[in-house]
Every structure is written in C-alpha cells, then in structure tokens.
Amino acid sequence: MTVVGLDDTDSRETGMCTTYAAAQLADAVREEGGSVERVLLVRLNPAVEHKTRGNAALAVHTDLDAERATTLVRETLSLAQTDDPKTNPGAVVADCAPEAVPPQVADFTVDAIREIQDRVTATTLADFAGFARVERGNGRGLVGALAAVGAWAALDDWTYEHIAYREQSRWGTERDVDPESVRAAADEHYPVVWDTVDRDSGYPVCVPRTPCPILYGIRGDDADACRTVADAVESEPVAERATFVTNQGTDVHLQDAALGEVTDDSAFRVTGTVADPPETRRGGHVFVTLADGDDRLPCAAFEPTKRFRDRVRALRAGDRVTACGEVSDGTLKFEKFAVRELVRTERVTPTCPDCGGSMSSAGRNQGYRCRDCDTSADGKVERPVERTIEPGWYEVPPVARRHIAKPLVRGGFDGPTHPAR
Ligand code: ZN
C-alpha cells in the first residue's frame, strides 16, 4: 500500500483547492491501473494563522507503488497554482499501509490538529520515516501533507463528505444550485446527513461562497446517504464528484484542560462557573466570563452565531458550564457549551408579611423591617429563579459551525443535547 498526503494547493486568486487536487490525483492513480482505497480529507488546527481556507489536508490510499505515485503527485502539484506566492504545495509519499505509519507520524497528526507544527519538524520526521517528499514554493504544505499521511493511524472517528465540482469554465462565477431541492433532500436524510442547510435562515451551508471549484459538499455519517442527497440536488452541470472520508464533525481538535491551562491558538474543553452576568457588546457579540478558583477565562459568542447568543445570554452568575472552542487573544470562541448546574434560587430583600411591601435594612447586621407595619426579618431570603435554559449541551447553528466541530446530533455527549439544525 501507498499513502500520498498533500496540502496547500489552495489559491485564493485562481480558486484551485486541495480537495480538487486530491480528486484529480485519485483519477490519475486509477488511469495508471491502481485502485484507490479511500481519499481522506483531514481538517487541521483551525487556529493556524497563515492557514489556507478551512485548513484541509488530503491523503490518497492506494495500491499503486510509491514510485509511480510520486511521479503522479509531481504532476498534480504542477497543476496546483505555484504562481500564487501564498500557495506553497507539499506532498509526502509513504511506502506503507495507512495504519502502519510510525507512531511518531500519528502523534504529529494529532499535534497538527490541536497545536501548531512547523515545516522543519515535518521535513525531519518525513525523512526519519523514509517517506518521499515533493514540495513547491517554501514547502509549508509539507506540514499538512505529513499530517494527512498519519491521520488513519491517529484518528478513529470518521465521517463523510460527498463533493460535487463545477465545470472549469464556471469557476469564479455565481453558482446555480436550487435551494429548494437541497432543503427537501436534506430534510429527508437528517440526521444521518447533517449541516446541509441552516434551518432558521434557510441558507444552504453545503454550497460554498468562495471562488473554488466546489459546487456543493454533502456531509454525514453514511457515504451512501450523502451521495443520495447529492443526487437529489438540482443544479448547473456537475463536472466531477468524489466522496471523502474525513475528520469533519468529530471535535478531535478539542483538548481537555483546566481553566488556567488554556493557551492561544488551540481549542479546549474547559469547565468553570459563570462569574458575571453575560454582556452584549457593540456589534451584537455576547461575552461571559468563566471562573475556576482564581483563574478566569472570557468566552465569546460572536454575532454570526446568531440565535446561539440567546443561549449564552440565558446564563446567570453561579451557573456551572463546560465550554468548547478555540482560544485566541485569551478569549474562548464558543463552538458549544454544556450547562452542568443551574442557579435555581436567589437571595433577595424580604417582603413584609402584613402589607407585602419590600422591607428595608434595619441597620448593619440588624436584619430588615417594615417601617409601616413594624414587622421584621433576620436577613435576606431565598426565592426561586425562573430559568429559560435547561441543563445539557447547546451549539452554534450550522451556518456558524467550524468544519471540525462535532454537531450535537451525532451523539456521544455526556449529557442531554439540544441540537441546532
Ligand atoms: Zn408592612
């Protein structure tokens, strides 16, 4: 077996994208008489600064020998847009079965998803493992390419995306996809197929807005169901289609951490107590601070997360919450959160049993009294609080979902879920 990893063939200017390059490579392998076992679409750390859009790396698993595969990948990278200085394609060819890569390579994959990896580490490791390298530009694409090679050994939760590509003459022009046909097919196959349409806005999230060759991508837990939904979409002609096995929708980027342990440019799952009432700031962004002992972490639900912000606004100081999301500039950007415990009572000034009016302080440590009736009370009293949120998991809507974030509807969460569809 041979594993070919490739990355960074995306170009903002000409619209090439790495999934397309991988689909082309898979076609070339078949033309050479090889069979393609699967093509992986691996989402890396979404926080990486100089990322290509979506930060995707690809791997083709094939029985074609490594030498012939290397020749084909050279040709594929030549198709990639090396005239764009921001595009630095790289490929790694491993002469082994996908599950048999050295453990150091699998560890590298996990690090590339959760932290930041550099080109020198990737080069050194690829050479140590005896993998062939192909690079263009500054070779930054080697990082994703090696991460894609290690992915099958490193990860165990996989989903699917069926991608339809446009005819080349239409790249960069407005896409012609009938939203009603997308909605109907998505409805019929939900929740096996997810994040196809954002229900509240009606927006077809499966149709990208960038000038890339993708017409639409249908995501889900079953490859056949994704293909069936794609078949039902009415659109401009489809030039090519491919099914990818992917770590999208798996939350594999999240690291469990204590509140005080989080660092910028990674994504975490942390638990704390709401320190202050949530605050809506200019632009409609909602902020809330979690605390754990002396550690505090501001968390934000930005405007594009739409109705999810109401769930954050429904929190109260004292609630126990688990928050998930990427941390940058010391602030966690909510992807989802779980309400663990809700504050159910509050301590308030007592009311007078005779007249029902609010009592007033009788002086420091003197309790409360009603001046009109001369009644008294020892101190504040507990009163039930009406809550508009229940325990369990809440998530941003599909329109604001990161590729790698796991939709609640996929299940496996440690509490009740309130999926946004
Ligand atoms: Zn009174």
Side-chain angles (χ1 to χ4, degrees):
M1 286 290 288
T2 301
V3 183
V4 183
L6 69 163
D7 187 27
D8 205 17
T9 63
D10 297 33
S11 166
R12 279 164 206 276
E13 280 145 48
T14 56
M16 179 55 79
C17 88
T18 309
T19 72
Y20 186 73
Q24 301 283 94
L25 176 62
D27 285 348
V29 164
R30 292 185 191 103
E31 276 164 30
E32 279 282 297
S35 76
V36 174
E37 176 89 17
R38 66 183 74 79
V39 184
L40 297 187
L41 163 53
V42 181
R43 296 288 177 179
L44 304 174
N45 185 351
V48 169
E49 209 173 319
H50 41 230
K51 65 188 169 191
T52 53
R53 212 189 58 82
N55 208 12
L58 278 291
V60 176
H61 297 174
T62 174
D63 62 357
L64 199 70
D65 67 76
E67 209 166 307
R68 281 155 80 202
T70 306
T71 305
L72 294 180
V73 82
R74 275 184 212 286
E75 288 163 14
T76 303
L77 289 198
S78 298
L79 289 175
Q81 309 296 311
T82 44
D83 49 336
D84 181 345
K86 290 195 186 121
T87 302
N88 296 287
V92 170
V93 182
D95 186 10
C96 66
E99 59 276 7
V101 300
Q104 294 91 333
V105 176
D107 290 345
F108 179 88
T109 301
V110 174
D111 286 348
I113 292 170
R114 297 187 172 170
E115 293 162 15
I116 291 177
Q117 284 291 358
D118 60 59
R119 192 185 60 80
V120 175
T121 308
T123 306
T124 309
L125 190 48
D127 290 352
F128 157 79
F131 299 161
R133 299 188 263 117
V134 184
E135 54 205 276
R136 301 285 156 81
N138 70 12
R140 197 183 62 219
L142 279 181
V143 172
L146 185 63
V149 166
W152 195 248
L155 310 178
D156 53 18
D157 187 12
W158 295 100
T159 67
Y160 298 91
E161 179 163 359
H162 184 84
I163 296 181
Y165 295 97
R166 317 183 68 191
E167 291 177 336
Q168 191 157 2
S169 61
R170 292 176 192 260
W171 294 4
T173 66
E174 201 175 327
R175 291 172 175 80
D176 182 10
V177 178
D178 173 39
E180 203 37 61
S181 68
V182 177
R183 277 193 279 276
D187 254 3
E188 198 182 327
H189 292 273
Y190 183 87
V192 175
V193 170
W194 31 260
D195 287 2
T196 318
V197 176
D198 185 84
R199 253 210 172 173
D200 264 24
S201 61
Y203 187 81
V205 288
C206 63
V207 181
R209 279 169 283 190
T210 53
C212 74
I214 295 176
L215 183 57
Y216 52 80
I218 308 297
R219 298 174 181 190
D221 280 294
D222 180 84
D224 291 337
C226 292
R227 171 86 194 208
T228 303
V229 168
D231 284 343
V233 173
E234 288 164 26
S235 72
E236 65 184 56
V238 171
E240 175 162 8
R241 40 207 298 172
T243 296
F244 297 89
V245 183
T246 169
N247 67 340
Q248 289 170 167
T250 63
D251 271 353
V252 69
H253 62 316
L254 297 178
Q255 303 176 63
D256 287 305
L259 208 67
E261 292 172 348
V262 307
T263 49
D264 276 355
D265 299 328
S266 285
F268 295 93
R269 190 188 288 113
V270 296
T271 298
T273 302
V274 175
D276 304 300
E279 190 189 336
T280 302
R281 296 192 193 153
R282 185 201 291 257
H285 313 306
V286 180
F287 288 79
V288 66
T289 297
L290 295 187
D292 182 21
D294 290 337
D295 297 315
R296 293 167 76 87
L297 179 67
C299 303
F302 290 103
E303 191 280 333
T305 63
K306 301 294 175 195
R307 58 195 183 270
F308 172 75
R309 294 172 298 162
D310 293 335
R311 310 328 302 158
V312 178
R313 286 190 190 102
L315 294 171
R316 262 183 98 94
D319 288 344
R320 192 90 181 139
V321 167
T322 298
C324 302
E326 174 194 322
V327 175
S328 59
D329 300 321
T331 300
L332 183 143
K333 299 179 213 163
F334 276 119
E335 292 169 9
K336 56 171 68 79
F337 70 84
V339 173
R340 302 301 192 184
E341 278 172 51
L342 286 174
V343 170
R344 298 283 187 184
T345 58
E346 59 183 344
R347 292 178 65 76
V348 292
T349 304
T351 50
C352 169
D354 289 355
C355 72
S358 183
M359 290 179 159
S360 47
S361 174
R364 197 156 177 265
N365 298 325
Q366 305 281 303
Y368 292 85
R369 68 185 182 90
C370 175
R371 293 202 170 89
D372 296 335
C373 312
D374 209 26
T375 53
S376 64
D378 291 341
K380 288 200 170 183
V381 292
E382 290 217 332
R383 175 175 83 179
V385 186
E386 185 99 32
R387 299 304 306 262
T388 55
I389 192 168
E390 298 162 38
W393 285 94
Y394 296 86
E395 65 184 349
V396 302
V399 73
R401 187 120 56 225
R402 310 212 89 147
H403 300 295
I404 201 166
K406 181 176 177 178
L408 295 178
V409 73
R410 290 199 64 224
F413 290 88
D414 61 354
T417 55
H418 309 275
R421 65 181 284 196

